[in-house]
Each structure stands twice: as structure tokens, then as C-alpha cells.
């Protein structure tokens, strides 16, 4: 698989339901998460549940499609800002659904894609957008483990990894 993408935005929140904060750079710690994020701190909604959630990604292409009303879900169209979707990294040019079980580089770090993320009904309430849950089904992002930590920044390349 040949592709090359990049990081557009980095967001964290200190606890469940808190507003997402955009970062100019983030420190990723292997096996833990992004320093300062709710899952790194153990204050996320799903922190007590055993699951890989060191860092989450979503494709900007999904946000662009939803803003246009694609795919056609009768009466549903939503414009989400990069801090609305509650994922840590917003990417461009990265085939997230094809990466499950694979490793890839983000800047100087290496991530392992664990599973596709599931939307939750709570995001509809939090953002006041009825139908958002259905709009995000099967395209709500990717949950990853951090295997090699480091610093990442918006604009950093995202590439397949042979490691």
C-alpha cells in the first residue's frame, strides 16, 4: 500500500466532556498516550475499560463529506470543526480504515492501528447535532497504540512503516 498523509490538527482534553484544546506540538508516550490528554491522565470516559486508546485519529475527508451531506443520509448534513469530533489527530491523505493491525509513522513516532473507533450517542448531545451518531457510523476514526513515542506537530508526515 503506497500512500502519504499528514497531521492537520492535534487536540487533547484534560477530562471527559471538557473542550478540546488545539496544540502546536504534542508529546506522545509509548503505551500511555498524549501528555495532558484525558486517556493519558486516566480521566477519559472509557479509561477504566481495557482497550487501545493511546491516540485517536480521524480523516478530514470524513468531515468534508459530512459537510456536503455525503453519503446521502436523508436530511443529514453536519459541519464539524476539528475540535468537535473529539479525536486527537485530524489527518489528510491517510487511509485509516485500511490500517487496522498495521504500524505507521507520524512524525518521529510509530503507531499501531488497533481498531476502528465507534461513535457514541453522547456526541449528539454534546454538540447538539441530531443524527451525528448515524453520520459517523463506520467512519468515526481509528484507535491506536503508541509504540515509539516522541514529539509530533501539525504538518508532520504520516507514512507506512516497515518496522
Amino acid at each position: 500500500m503506497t500512500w502519504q498523509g499528514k497531521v492537520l490538527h492535534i487536540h487533547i482534553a484534560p477530562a471527559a466532556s471538557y473542550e478540546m484544546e488545539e496544540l502546536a506540538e504534542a508529546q506522545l508516550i509509548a503505551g500511555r498516550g498524549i501528555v495532558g490528554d484525558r486517556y493519558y491522565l486516566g480521566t477519559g470516559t472509557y479509561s477504566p475499560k481495557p482497550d487501545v486508546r493511546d491516540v485517536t485519529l480521524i480523516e478530514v475527508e470524513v468531515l468534508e463529506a459530512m459537510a456536503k451531506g455525503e453519503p446521502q443520509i436523508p436530511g443529514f448534513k453536519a459541519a464539524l470543526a476539528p475540535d468537535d469530533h473529539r479525536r486527537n489527530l485530524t489527518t489528510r491523505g491517510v487511509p485509516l480504515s485500511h490500517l487496522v493491525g498495521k504500524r505507521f509513522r507520524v512524525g518521529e513516532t510509530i503507531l499501531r492501528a488497533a481498531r476502528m473507533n465507534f461513535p457514541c450517542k453522547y456526541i449528539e448531545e454534546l454538540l447538539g447535532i441530531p443524527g451525528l451518531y448515524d453520520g459517523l457510523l463506520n467512519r468515526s476514526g481509528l484507535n491506536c497504540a503508541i509504540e515509539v513515542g516522541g514529539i509530533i506537530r501539525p504538518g508532520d508526515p504520516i507514512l507506512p512503516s516497515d518496522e
Side-chain angles (χ1 to χ4, degrees), residues 19 52 66 80 126-127 144:
E19 285 188 28
V52 174
M66 286 177 50
L80 295 183
L126 187 66
L127 299 177
C144 297

Side-chain angles (χ1 to χ4, degrees), residues 29 32-43 47 53-54:
I29 305 296
R32 282 277 314 267
I34 300 175
V35 173
D37 188 55
R38 60 204 182 275
Y39 293 109
Y40 176 87
L41 299 168
T43 57
S47 289
R53 198 175 275 106
D54 294 350

